[in-house]
Amino acid sequence: MTGDVVPLSTRRESQIGFERLELTRILDLYGRMVAAGHWRDYAIELGREAAIFAAFRRAAERPEVRIEKRPALRQRQGMWALVNESGAVLKRGHELAGVLAPLERRLMKLVD
């Protein structure tokens, strides 16, 4: 046997995660949605293909929205996606701010 050769099948693939600024932006939106009474809970899933932030109206149901980061789509449609409860993509893009815009609009209120 020569050297430390590791078969491809036993190598650990890297995990996708959120950078600090991305997570700060998402959690800031989450806090404002909680304060407005829209959301009550959240979950974060870090996997090999995607990092997902899921926001829930109630803890015992499907997430109302998911914010997904998929770096494999960076050169195509954009790595960010906003997905609704039924799994339909509401918005996709290269920048997080643009993908979060529909949720930000829900927080705006008309001022007399």
Side-chain angles (χ1 to χ4, degrees):
M1 197 114 144
T2 60
D4 293 317
V5 178
V6 179
L8 288 175
S9 62
T10 61
R11 289 185 187 167
R12 290 195 60 177
E13 293 188 27
S14 63
Q15 179 174 298
I16 306 299
F18 295 108
E19 294 177 12
R20 181 180 297 269
L21 292 176
E22 296 166 349
L23 193 56
T24 299
R25 178 81 190 247
I26 293 169
L27 288 174
D28 175 62
L29 173 65
Y30 171 77
R32 289 184 288 138
M33 294 294 270
V34 168
H38 293 293
W39 294 344
R40 291 184 179 262
D41 200 7
Y42 73 92
I44 297 176
E45 178 184 343
L46 305 175
R48 291 184 181 143
E49 286 113 29
I52 301 170
F53 180 93
F56 298 84
R57 272 179 261 150
R58 289 178 227 43
E61 62 180 31
R62 287 188 190 163
E64 181 178 350
V65 294
R66 292 189 326 256
I67 301 164
E68 298 183 357
K69 177 182 179 182
R70 295 184 182 273
L73 299 176
R74 178 181 286 130
Q75 300 300 321
R76 296 182 202 122
Q77 307 122 329
M79 71 175 167
W80 293 101
L82 181 64
V83 181
N84 71 5
E85 189 172 3
S86 63
V89 176
L90 301 174
K91 183 97 173 166
R92 185 178 294 281
H94 295 281
E95 299 293 326
L96 178 59
V99 172
L100 296 180
L103 297 174
E104 300 268 355
R105 274 188 238 117
R106 284 178 53 184
L107 291 171
M108 290 185 192
K109 295 181 181 178
L110 295 175
V111 178
D112 292 333

